Amino acid sequence: MKQEIRDKYEVVIGLEVHAQLQTESKIFAADAASFGGLPNTHISPITLGHPGTLPKLNRKAVEYAIKMGLACNSQITENQYFDRKNYFYPDLPKGYQITQDKTPICMGGGVKVKLSTGEKTVRFHHIHLEEDAGKSLHTEGSTDSQIDYNRAGTPLIEMVTEPEIKSAEEAATFMNEVRKLVRYLGICDGNMEEGSLRCDVNISVMPVGSKVFGTKVEIKNMNSMRFIQKAIEYEVVRQIDAVENGEKLIQETRSFDPATGRTSGMREKETQNDYRYFPEPDLVPLTISEAWLSEVKNMMPALPWELFEKFTKQYNLPEYDANVLTETREVAEYFEATCQFTKNYKAVSNWIMGTVKSYLNDNNLEIGQLTISPERLGALINLIDEGKVSTSTAAQQIFPELVQDSSKTPLQIAETKNLIQQSNTDTLQSLIDEVLANNPAKVKEYKSGKKGLLAMFMGEIMKKSKGSADPKVTTALLQKSLDL
């Protein structure tokens, strides 16, 4: 598409983000809410909607929803009730979904995103609680569908943004921040591949400066940051082309095919009236008391932006380091724990972003699986700062031993492997004198101006000391000897 045509239109995007809450049981039944398991094993008469069964609200799901609202600076609704949203799908056993229509648990709030154009807060219209549906499984070559009801009744929060996202980049960045936030809060694992975090994308285009939104199209069940971007990019071009050609866009639900990068129509979009909402008669109204709200507030962990400020101000880290270290709660906590055992906070950051991260990536591990405790990493950094071992020795020889043997301290490993740096000036001077005596021609070249030979001399001294010579002390003594 020509840029001059694209520039005539403004893109309007709103997201409906679904996050499965990490409760042990479902939102209205005692069935397991965990992912996986053989099909139709996490079910009961309540999940299957048998006549005479009654739902019972999961308190933990409510608290998780409140946590998200508090993190996003939303207003928590004091008095709420649940509604029935009526529609039929094979994977919705009751024929209706229990959700919140008129009284969502959280109102307003938003999530701050950092874009190439600067910072922006993407606002929420509301966040509401509801139950998930099951899964329809379609086997290639078969005309039948299979239904797995394990997921039916899993607690969800649906986060509905205001229609103010302006680009594919902004949508993906927002989703990434939401994913980080729910994982920090410990309310959702954020696993998009398994569908525990997914979103529906609502897109329309309108002429620049217009006050009237274009026809909204919804793309369902997006479970990848990359796919979200690609679907939006394709749909924006499709809609602008249609408008430019005088075609009438219809309000519809579409799906995205990652293989082709295209969206395709599924059905015309239902309207609010189609769902025939009415209050759920089998659940009593829900009241969030001040005491309960205070209790949840006291359970809140430190949030990414709070830790970012702490890391830059209290630990004096560069913004780049603080951004990397606060990407996950586990890494941030490991950093802070290590800082209890050393005062060289920048070195802690360097080790976590460098050697530790490389080891974890190479072995496909999370930091919680690292066998080196914060205390032992702090002790290793202190060994370097005390001049007992070099950074390269620590990374290449001591760190691998620490990984393999959790019973030894860095100092014990350094002593056992004779890695303690030699800083005795008499001993070092003897090594220097020996190296210079063995290389008279090179000494002459150095004195004639080839100062780069200093590295060669240092290398020879390190070989003779088996890497134990203190580089700083050795360099100073070597330069003094050469300048005589």
Side-chain angles (χ1 to χ4, degrees):
M1 174 175 289
K2 293 181 179 179
Q3 192 61 42
E4 58 264 30
I5 296 177
R6 173 66 182 80
D7 290 343
K8 289 166 56 180
Y9 293 90
E10 183 178 345
V11 179
V12 180
I13 302 169
L15 300 182
E16 299 169 15
V17 184
H18 300 81
Q20 284 185 1
L21 301 178
Q22 282 188 292
T23 54
E24 292 185 16
S25 57
K26 296 181 179 178
I27 188 169
F28 302 119
D31 314 342
S34 56
F35 177 81
L38 293 173
N40 297 310
T41 54
H42 299 169
I43 58 174
S44 68
I46 296 176
T47 293
L48 296 177
H50 286 192
T53 56
L54 294 173
K56 183 178 180 181
L57 180 59
N58 186 329
R59 179 186 178 94
K60 185 65 70 175
V62 176
E63 291 177 348
Y64 282 179
I66 292 173
K67 278 187 174 184
M68 187 64 185
L70 292 174
C72 298
N73 201 30
S74 304
Q75 181 68 39
I76 308 301
T77 305
E78 181 180 359
N79 297 304
Q80 310 163 35
Y81 59 86
F82 285 86
D83 301 275
R84 287 189 183 183
K85 181 181 182 182
N86 293 274
Y87 62 95
F88 176 77
Y89 283 111
D91 50 13
L92 194 66
K94 296 189 296 289
Y96 61 86
Q97 179 189 40
I98 301 178
T99 183
Q100 290 180 318
D101 177 36
K102 298 294 192 297
T103 59
I105 190 167
C106 307
M107 293 297 298
V111 172
K112 185 177 290 187
V113 294
K114 294 180 180 179
L115 306 168
S116 56
T117 54
E119 286 190 346
K120 170 183 176 177
T121 296
V122 176
R123 296 177 301 153
F124 287 124
H125 180 273
H126 71 267
I127 302 171
H128 67 261
L129 274 165
E130 64 184 20
E131 60 181 341
D132 208 346
K135 278 185 178 179
S136 296
L137 307 174
H138 310 285
T139 306
E140 187 175 354
S142 173
T143 57
D144 297 326
S145 294
Q146 297 175 314
I147 308 295
D148 180 5
Y149 287 124
N150 280 350
R151 196 177 69 178
T154 299
L156 292 177
I157 50 173
E158 181 173 339
M159 299 163 268
V160 182
T161 74
E162 296 287 0
E164 57 187 23
I165 297 172
K166 299 299 182 183
S167 68
E169 175 212 1
E170 190 175 324
T173 303
F174 168 78
M175 279 296 294
N176 190 58
E177 288 301 313
V178 169
R179 182 174 184 268
K180 181 197 297 187
L181 190 52
V182 296
R183 295 178 71 182
Y184 255 86
L185 294 170
I187 65 174
C188 173
D189 63 18
N191 192 322
M192 298 189 74
E193 293 75 19
E194 293 179 359
S196 54
L197 183 69
R198 57 191 190 270
C199 78
D200 301 334
V201 182
N202 294 286
I203 310 173
S204 66
V205 298
M206 62 184 182
V208 171
S210 174
K211 302 298 182 184
V212 180
F213 289 164
T215 300
K216 179 178 67 175
V217 169
E218 179 184 47
I219 307 173
K220 293 289 286 185
N221 292 328
M222 304 299 299
N223 64 349
S224 156
M225 305 295 182
R226 188 164 60 90
F227 294 165
I228 289 170
Q229 284 191 272
K230 286 184 171 296
I232 291 173
E233 289 163 358
Y234 173 81
E235 188 62 23
V236 167
V237 172
R238 186 189 75 84
Q239 290 189 27
I240 292 176
D241 277 342
V243 174
E244 284 288 304
N245 293 327
E247 299 173 18
K248 181 178 175 59
L249 288 166
I250 60 171
Q251 186 172 337
E252 62 177 337
T253 298
R254 298 177 70 87
S255 64
F256 174 71
D257 184 351
T260 63
R262 295 170 174 267
T263 66
S264 57
M266 294 170 62
R267 59 181 180 271
E268 288 194 24
K269 177 66 177 170
E270 299 93 339
T271 65
Q272 191 85 345
N273 290 336
D274 292 331
Y275 293 128
R276 294 178 290 115
Y277 286 101
F278 65 87
E280 168 57 62
D282 291 335
L283 287 168
V284 297
L286 173 64
T287 299
I288 310 296
S289 67
E290 281 297 326
W292 191 8
L293 189 57
S294 296
E295 183 183 329
V296 177
K297 285 179 180 178
N298 291 334
M299 294 189 290
M300 292 287 286
L303 298 172
W305 48 89
E306 295 170 341
L307 289 174
F308 176 87
E309 185 173 1
K310 183 178 184 181
F311 288 4
T312 53
K313 292 184 177 178
Q314 180 175 323
Y315 296 110
N316 294 314
L317 295 181
E319 288 191 2
Y320 174 82
D321 293 41
N323 270 322
V324 173
L325 295 174
T326 57
E327 187 61 32
T328 69
R329 178 178 168 181
E330 293 75 17
V331 170
E333 288 176 344
Y334 188 86
F335 168 79
E336 284 214 272
T338 306
C339 288
Q340 303 304 307
F341 301 100
T342 178
K343 298 302 179 186
N344 193 341
Y345 307 138
K346 183 64 173 88
V348 177
S349 174
N350 291 344
W351 270 85
I352 292 175
M353 294 191 302
T355 304
V356 171
K357 186 178 180 182
S358 295
Y359 169 76
L360 296 176
N361 289 343
D362 290 345
N363 294 277
N364 197 27
L365 298 173
E366 300 293 335
I367 199 160
Q369 299 169 287
L370 183 66
T371 55
I372 301 176
S373 67
E375 182 176 5
R376 295 167 80 217
L377 181 61
L380 181 59
I381 291 168
N382 289 336
L383 273 187
I384 299 168
D385 291 345
E386 291 163 4
K388 293 182 177 178
V389 298
S390 67
T391 300
S392 60
T393 297
Q396 295 169 16
Q397 299 191 59
I398 300 178
F399 183 85
E401 290 287 329
L402 288 173
V403 170
Q404 295 299 322
D405 190 345
S406 60
S407 66
K408 292 181 180 178
T409 67
L411 180 59
Q412 288 171 336
I413 293 171
E415 289 174 339
T416 302
K417 296 174 73 71
N418 295 317
L419 299 175
I420 299 296
Q421 288 187 147
Q422 177 59 256
S423 57
N424 182 289
T425 54
D426 291 339
T427 303
L428 291 175
Q429 189 63 56
S430 297
L431 291 173
I432 291 169
D433 292 344
E434 184 180 348
V435 169
L436 296 184
N438 292 337
N439 296 276
K442 296 295 183 184
V443 172
K444 190 173 181 180
E445 288 180 38
Y446 177 88
K447 291 187 175 184
S448 67
K450 291 189 176 181
K451 303 302 181 183
L453 288 169
L454 186 70
M456 184 276 292
F457 292 126
M458 280 295 295
E460 291 299 313
I461 295 166
M462 284 298 176
K463 284 181 187 177
K464 286 189 173 294
S465 70
K466 297 181 180 179
S468 65
D470 185 312
K472 290 182 180 178
V473 177
T474 304
T475 300
L477 290 173
L478 176 61
Q479 287 180 321
K480 186 176 179 181
S481 297
L482 286 169
D483 291 339
L484 290 176

